[in-house]
Amino acid sequence: MLQQFEILKKAGLSVTESRKTILDLFFAAQGALAHADIEKHSSINIDRVTVYRTLQTFVESGIIHQIPTTDNTILYALCKDSCEAGHHHDEHVHFICTTCNKTNCLDDVMVPTVKLPNGFLPIQTAMIVKGTCIDCKSPHPQPFPQR
Amino acid sequence: MLQQFEILKKAGLSVTESRKTILDLFFAAQGALAHADIEKHSSINIDRVTVYRTLQTFVESGIIHQIPTTDNTILYALCKDSCEAGHHHDEHVHFICTTCNKTNCLDDVMVPTVKLPNGFLPIQTAMIVKGTCIDCKSPHPQPFPQR
DNA sequence: AAATGATTTGCAATATTGTTGCAATATTTT
DNA sequence: AAAATATTGCAACAATATTGCAAATCATTT
Ligand SMILES: [Mn+2]
Ligand SMILES: [Mn+2]
Ligand SMILES: [Zn+2]
Ligand SMILES: [Zn+2]
């Protein structure tokens, strides 16, 4: 896996402290992060506005991808090395555990294609499964993020 | 299809002006509505708070269902008559048109089941397809909601 | 390594969105 | 129609998001 430095370089971004720190959080995190997780993380001291701008930049650069939710938040998770600006490769299923509230990328579960009515032209498909995750069926203590 | 009055009755809800008006909006709408669509609709004069509470009540009563997005909004669409409180039957695909920004329930396209890794217990699955809708391939004028 | 130019950051101000308690009003039940 | 129950609107507040701009940081050139 690439180092933060390389990831930023490869994306053509300046290598700044904020960006490295936020990338570190994603590497350390179990599962996806919301803006609030980052902003409120104990060891972090980055302005809200910078967090907003960093997340946006990372999405546009193919470093992280977004996961849609029904609670007025957006979740973000690291992309595979193969993602590029404007051209993501993240058509895997996302799993939201309703017990521990963690969201996992199921990298090995591809989103199936589905036949649409005539005239609908698909470009990108997201699939979000809610349920109980493997950790919550046979539980053990959980690290960051705590929600 | 049921009348507003019957829908509210069947759900065990009081039949109020606000609720009938908001239900009317959903019937008139092409596609899903966000809170903001309702609040800002020209002919409507219902307090923000009432709109929030009405949407929440409708979801809990199985009158509307939520559609996840990646833009800090939640979309809502009418459920089928067969939905009940706490037990929705809306496992159809949702289509978000990136041209006209309308979101449609593809009622006839069921969400496929997908094999998850061992230990993950699915309860509910959402599938959101982004692309170009049929109206935008062979366009004609569009009514509410305008976004 | 210092100077230069370009980019990013933090702050302040503002805007938008969401929540809560409570009195007034509307609806349902008796 | 009166009583009981539920809903609504207002006000106050809280949380989240956006913008402009000056200061700080980073990349590039010398
Ligand atoms: Mn993912
Ligand atoms: Mn739907
Ligand atoms: Zn879990
Ligand atoms: Zn369209």
Side-chain angles (χ1 to χ4, degrees):
Chain A
M1 191 179 307
L2 297 174
Q3 307 298 317
Q4 317 125 345
F5 184 88
E6 298 170 299
I7 291 176
L8 294 170
K9 277 297 184 191
K10 180 188 164 205
L13 298 176
S14 307
V15 179
T16 72
E17 284 307 311
S18 305
R19 287 172 179 171
K20 283 191 291 182
T21 305
I22 292 176
L23 259 186
D24 274 343
L25 272 192
F26 276 104
F27 280 115
Q30 310 284 60
L33 299 179
H35 172 98
D37 295 322
I38 296 170
E39 189 192 332
K40 287 162 189 160
H41 187 258
S42 43
S43 79
I44 222 175
N45 200 20
I46 300 177
D47 191 84
R48 291 175 56 65
V49 178
T50 302
V51 175
Y52 282 116
R53 298 197 267 224
T54 302
L55 290 172
Q56 183 181 321
T57 302
F58 282 4
V59 169
E60 288 166 355
S61 307
I63 294 174
I64 60 179
H65 59 277
Q66 299 176 304
I67 304 164
T69 72
T70 49
D71 67 350
N72 288 307
T73 63
I74 305 171
L75 293 174
Y76 300 87
L78 282 176
C79 288
K80 299 309 199 56
D81 293 349
S82 57
C83 291
E84 294 162 31
H87 187 256
H88 285 240
H89 277 203
D90 294 283
E91 298 244 328
H92 53 260
V93 172
H94 291 102
F95 192 94
I96 302 183
C97 178
T98 53
T99 300
C100 66
N101 269 306
K102 284 194 317 197
T103 296
N104 284 102
C105 296
L106 303 180
D107 289 314
D108 298 327
V109 184
M110 290 295 115
V111 172
T113 57
V114 75
K115 179 157 173 41
L116 300 179
N118 275 349
F120 285 86
L121 178 68
I123 294 174
Q124 199 194 14
T125 304
M127 190 161 181
I128 297 98
V129 181
K130 285 191 185 180
T132 308
C133 79
I134 189 167
D135 288 339
C136 290
K137 283 187 75 176
S138 38
H140 53 269
Q142 299 301 326
F144 174 77
Q146 308 282 3
R147 275 194 279 267
Chain B
M1 188 173 320
L2 298 174
Q3 306 297 318
Q4 316 125 348
F5 185 88
E6 297 170 301
I7 291 176
L8 294 170
K9 277 297 182 191
K10 180 188 164 205
L13 298 177
S14 306
V15 179
T16 71
E17 284 308 311
S18 306
R19 286 172 179 171
K20 283 190 290 183
T21 305
I22 291 176
L23 258 187
D24 274 343
L25 272 192
F26 277 104
F27 280 115
Q30 310 285 59
L33 299 179
H35 172 97
D37 293 323
I38 296 170
E39 189 191 331
K40 287 163 189 159
H41 188 259
S42 42
S43 79
I44 223 175
N45 200 22
I46 302 177
D47 192 84
R48 297 170 48 64
V49 179
T50 302
V51 175
Y52 281 115
R53 297 197 267 224
T54 302
L55 290 172
Q56 183 180 320
T57 301
F58 282 4
V59 169
E60 288 166 356
S61 307
I63 294 175
I64 60 179
H65 59 277
Q66 300 176 304
I67 304 164
T69 72
T70 50
D71 65 352
N72 287 307
T73 63
I74 305 171
L75 293 174
Y76 300 87
L78 283 176
C79 288
K80 298 310 200 54
D81 293 349
S82 57
C83 289
E84 295 161 28
H87 186 256
H88 286 240
H89 279 199
D90 294 284
E91 297 243 329
H92 53 260
V93 172
H94 291 103
F95 191 94
I96 303 183
C97 178
T98 53
T99 299
C100 66
N101 269 306
K102 284 195 317 200
T103 296
N104 284 102
C105 296
L106 303 180
D107 290 314
D108 298 327
V109 184
M110 289 297 116
V111 172
T113 58
V114 75
K115 180 160 172 37
L116 301 179
N118 275 348
F120 285 86
L121 178 68
I123 294 173
Q124 198 195 13
T125 304
M127 191 162 181
I128 298 99
V129 182
K130 286 191 184 180
T132 309
C133 79
I134 189 166
D135 289 338
C136 291
K137 283 186 75 175
S138 39
H140 54 267
Q142 298 303 326
F144 174 76
Q146 307 283 4
R147 273 195 280 268

